[in-house]
Amino acid sequence: MKSSDLTGKVCLFLTKEKLPEAWRDNAALPLREVFEDAGYQTELTLCDDPDAICDQITNHTSPGDIVAVGGGDGTINAILDAVIDNKVVLIPIPLGTANDFARTLTLPDDLIDAARASIHGQIRMLDVGRVNDHSFINAASIGVPADARKRINPDLKRTLGAISYAVANWQSWHEMDPLDLSIACGDEDALNIKLRQLTITNGRYFGGGLRPSETKSPEDGLLHMFAIRDSVDTLSGLDVAAGLLFGSVDDSTYAMTIECDSITVKGEDGAPILADGEIIGELPATFTIRAGVLPVFAPNSFVDQTDQGLEPSDQAPLPHRARINDILRDSLDFALRLEAIFPVAQNSDLRALCHDGIRHLRDICRQLELGLRPHGIPSASPDPDLHSLEELRDRVMGWLLEDVDQRLANGLKDRAGLLATEIDDLPVDKLPDDIKTPMRGLDRVMSDLNQRLRDILKAL
């Protein structure tokens, strides 16, 4: 679908339950104004539930209309087929708890900012996963996540948000029995294995900000699967969780990963399947991918992340823009990692390193963002729930382990080493001065942090 196919109309669908209190008296005027200011005729419809939104899309929209839908991942899951079948273009308004689909698109948490970023973005045709006769956009899981879904306390979910998922998963990890499964990728021979968890992803995120693969994109035409064997103990499970938080389990020794366009899972007939936060079916199951079928208005930050284009700029294209953007995002994530460790660490030198690193990295990231702005590159956004999830993991480690400082310092050293390598591989001398200067400053900061981490590890 192209921009020329659009009708110039936005159909805004919000469930009454999800409507923010401040918008109840003005019929979501601030949100409607975002679309109207962009030149689109906008109509608001309040619906009772996602089924009512599907009915509205099917019976009251035309091909080429934009449907802006307020809700979380469960709502997006429920309307996928209606959007595809009726040839409308989706804009998600993140009103859920986890909002992993919005996070995949790099949408900000603020509703107005999210709507503005989307409507001024570009149409993208995204992949949609399929399990048996049900579509999913983020991920489908068997085992611990599906069991955990039944354990989530609604009051805890309202209070802690995405953290409630981590609490429920912790309970399921210790209490549910492993599953005996047969897994076949495409036409390959099936593998019989006993697992705690099997997760198949289409999007970049699932489970409230977890990211199974650094390279996963909803435009690559593939499903990414990772499986955790029943032999993985609690401490090793924490390492898997760290991989999901930090960006990839592809290199983990505790998780088995594959990528293909169809996966068949048999065994444990009747075991529930969790997709996009809701139980949608049971085993046995066949997982497939429908490539490029979902039209979505994606913000320019998502477009740049896929290295397909930039925001408008009068300047010459910036060399190595994708690598610079990766470094900026990873630096912000590293600063969040330091913030999460600071209240948990016991060693005074490790705490001092976190304190200094946070301040220096934040300053340099601001300089980089200012330098990138004239080149039309949007500011990088760290994972919205990364800090909370990492702090929870670190606190759990503190409760369970006596050598928590050494583990935390080792984890920081590994991440700092990867970031330092990214910087070393960048030809800094060929960059404009407003980017070259902060990049050199970042290199000095990371060199200092790496040396201090080596000294701390020697003393521990």
Side-chain angles (χ1 to χ4, degrees):
M1 181 176 290
K2 302 177 181 178
S3 297
S4 57
D5 297 325
L6 297 177
T7 63
K9 178 181 175 182
V10 171
C11 302
L12 176 58
F13 299 121
L14 302 175
T15 55
K16 298 171 185 176
E17 177 186 353
K18 297 279 189 181
L19 187 66
E21 191 66 35
W23 291 353
R24 294 187 183 277
D25 295 331
N26 61 19
L29 179 62
L31 193 57
R32 287 186 287 122
E33 286 180 337
V34 170
F35 301 126
E36 290 169 353
D37 289 346
Y40 293 87
Q41 174 191 349
T42 305
E43 298 178 359
L44 168 67
T45 303
L46 296 181
C47 302
D48 292 326
D49 51 40
D51 288 339
I53 296 177
C54 288
D55 179 73
Q56 288 289 328
I57 293 173
T58 300
N59 297 306
H60 301 285
T61 65
S62 301
D65 285 350
I66 297 171
V67 293
V69 178
D73 296 315
T75 300
I76 298 300
N77 179 291
I79 67 166
L80 284 175
D81 292 338
V83 170
I84 295 169
D85 292 344
N86 291 280
K87 297 180 173 58
V88 293
V89 183
L90 175 65
I91 288 180
I93 306 298
L95 283 169
T97 302
N99 298 315
D100 284 313
F101 181 53
R103 185 181 284 108
T104 288
L105 295 177
T106 71
L107 287 174
D109 288 338
D110 182 83
L111 303 180
I112 300 300
D113 289 345
R116 186 175 292 114
S118 294
I119 200 64
H120 292 292
Q122 300 180 31
I123 296 177
R124 308 293 290 204
M125 300 300 294
L126 305 189
D127 305 336
V128 170
R130 191 83 172 167
V131 50
N132 293 342
D133 60 350
H134 201 105
S135 296
F136 66 92
I137 190 64
N138 298 317
S141 295
I142 303 159
V144 168
D147 182 79
R149 179 63 182 84
K150 299 180 293 185
R151 300 172 184 262
I152 293 177
N153 183 303
D155 294 332
L156 190 65
K157 184 177 178 180
R158 281 191 292 270
T159 303
L160 297 181
I163 297 299
S164 63
Y165 294 96
V167 174
N169 274 273
W170 180 262
Q171 293 173 326
S172 293
W173 179 272
H174 289 282
E175 297 176 13
M176 77 165 291
D177 294 329
L179 304 176
D180 284 307
L181 299 175
S182 169
I183 304 168
C185 179
D187 296 328
E188 297 181 5
D189 293 338
L191 174 67
N192 296 315
I193 188 170
K194 184 173 284 190
L195 299 174
R196 288 179 178 269
Q197 173 179 342
L198 175 73
T199 296
I200 296 172
T201 64
N202 170 58
R204 284 176 59 84
Y205 296 95
F206 78 103
L210 303 179
R211 188 168 58 184
S213 174
E214 190 72 42
T215 60
K216 185 70 187 83
S217 163
E219 296 179 290
D220 59 14
L222 293 171
L223 295 169
H224 179 280
M225 184 201 85
F226 76 91
I228 305 176
R229 302 174 187 269
D230 71 316
S231 57
V232 174
D233 59 21
T234 299
L235 297 184
S236 301
L238 286 173
D239 285 327
V240 175
L244 292 171
L245 286 167
F246 297 151
S248 179
V249 293
D250 286 339
D251 297 324
S252 172
T253 58
Y254 304 108
M256 178 181 72
T257 64
I258 59 173
E259 280 192 336
C260 56
D261 57 7
S262 68
I263 300 169
T264 301
V265 181
K266 298 179 180 179
E268 301 286 351
D269 288 3
I273 301 171
L274 178 79
D276 299 336
E278 303 294 336
I279 301 295
I280 53 86
E282 59 185 35
L283 291 179
T286 298
F287 299 82
T288 56
I289 192 81
R290 301 172 65 192
V293 297
L294 178 68
V296 173
F297 242 124
N300 288 316
S301 53
F302 173 81
V303 175
D304 183 58
Q305 194 173 65
T306 58
D307 202 25
Q308 298 285 330
L310 282 173
E311 290 183 350
S313 171
D314 295 332
Q315 297 201 20
L318 178 69
H320 312 294
R321 67 178 190 272
R323 292 162 67 181
I324 295 170
N325 208 37
D326 286 345
I327 290 172
L328 176 55
R329 186 180 65 250
D330 290 344
S331 299
L332 287 169
D333 284 350
F334 192 70
L336 284 180
R337 177 74 180 130
L338 294 174
E339 288 182 11
I341 287 178
F342 181 77
V344 181
Q346 301 298 314
N347 181 275
S348 59
D349 290 335
L350 183 56
R351 287 175 60 85
L353 178 143
C354 292
H355 177 273
D356 296 342
I358 294 165
R359 178 168 54 85
H360 292 315
L361 286 172
R362 291 289 190 189
D363 287 344
I364 289 173
C365 286
R366 279 194 289 270
Q367 296 173 34
L368 273 174
E369 287 176 345
L370 290 173
L372 291 171
R373 190 173 299 169
H375 297 274
I377 298 180
S379 299
S381 297
D383 300 348
D385 292 318
L386 182 63
H387 181 278
S388 299
L389 287 167
E390 288 195 343
E391 186 168 350
L392 175 65
R393 171 186 176 271
D394 292 337
R395 289 194 181 280
V396 171
M397 287 180 64
W399 298 332
L400 296 176
L401 306 174
E402 294 181 358
D403 60 344
V404 63
D405 281 339
Q406 185 168 5
R407 284 176 171 260
L408 293 172
N410 269 318
L412 282 177
K413 181 173 70 67
D414 291 344
R415 292 296 298 171
L418 290 173
L419 182 52
T421 299
E422 286 185 84
I423 300 168
D424 288 342
D425 290 342
L426 184 71
V428 176
D429 290 340
K430 297 181 180 180
L431 300 177
D433 289 341
D434 52 357
I435 299 172
K436 182 191 305 181
T437 300
M439 195 65 72
R440 284 177 171 168
L442 179 61
D443 187 28
R444 289 192 295 270
V445 169
M446 295 311 301
S447 295
D448 176 66
L449 291 179
N450 271 306
Q451 183 59 55
R452 291 171 66 179
L453 283 166
R454 286 192 289 268
D455 294 340
I456 290 170
L457 285 166
K458 287 179 182 179
L460 288 174

